[in-house]
Amino acid sequence: IAVSAHTDLELTGDKESAIAAIKELTQDKGSTNTASGLASSGKEFAKDGREGAPKVVILITDGESNAGSDPVTAADDLKV
């Protein structure tokens, strides 16, 4: 995540493209801003999420959150 989050793959039902995107992930050097990544997930759900569909976040991180706001609060903000 580094200092800010970015989206590598928008919401999709295409399993193959999701697997390909995961295989292409690289580790950014620097800080780990987990809260920013979680907030980005919420924005993606609001933008492209389907009404009534389960909203699930799978968080993959390279280490301890050491930048940005509290990731627990960010995760709580996603709960509906």
Side-chain angles (χ1 to χ4, degrees), residues 33-54:
N33 188 343
T34 306
S36 179
L38 291 168
S40 178
S41 298
K43 290 175 187 172
E44 187 69 20
F45 288 144
K47 184 180 95 173
D48 292 325
R50 289 180 296 143
E51 181 86 23

Side-chain angles (χ1 to χ4, degrees), residues 2-78:
V3 175
S4 62
H6 61 272
T7 301
D8 290 306
L9 178 68
E10 294 185 359
L11 291 175
T12 182
D14 183 349
K15 180 180 174 181
E16 287 76 27
S17 65
I19 290 170
I22 291 168
K23 287 181 178 182
E24 293 177 17
L25 288 175
T26 59
Q27 180 181 7
D28 292 338
K29 304 284 187 212
S31 302
T32 300
N33 188 343
T34 306
S36 179
L38 291 168
S40 178
S41 298
K43 290 175 187 172
E44 187 69 20
F45 288 144
K47 184 180 95 173
D48 292 325
R50 289 180 296 143
E51 181 86 23
K55 313 270 188 293
V56 178
V57 174
I58 300 171
L59 175 65
I60 302 171
T61 178
D62 64 347
E64 184 177 344
S65 184
N66 58 9
S69 59
D70 179 24
V72 174
T73 301
D76 286 342
D77 290 345
L78 289 176

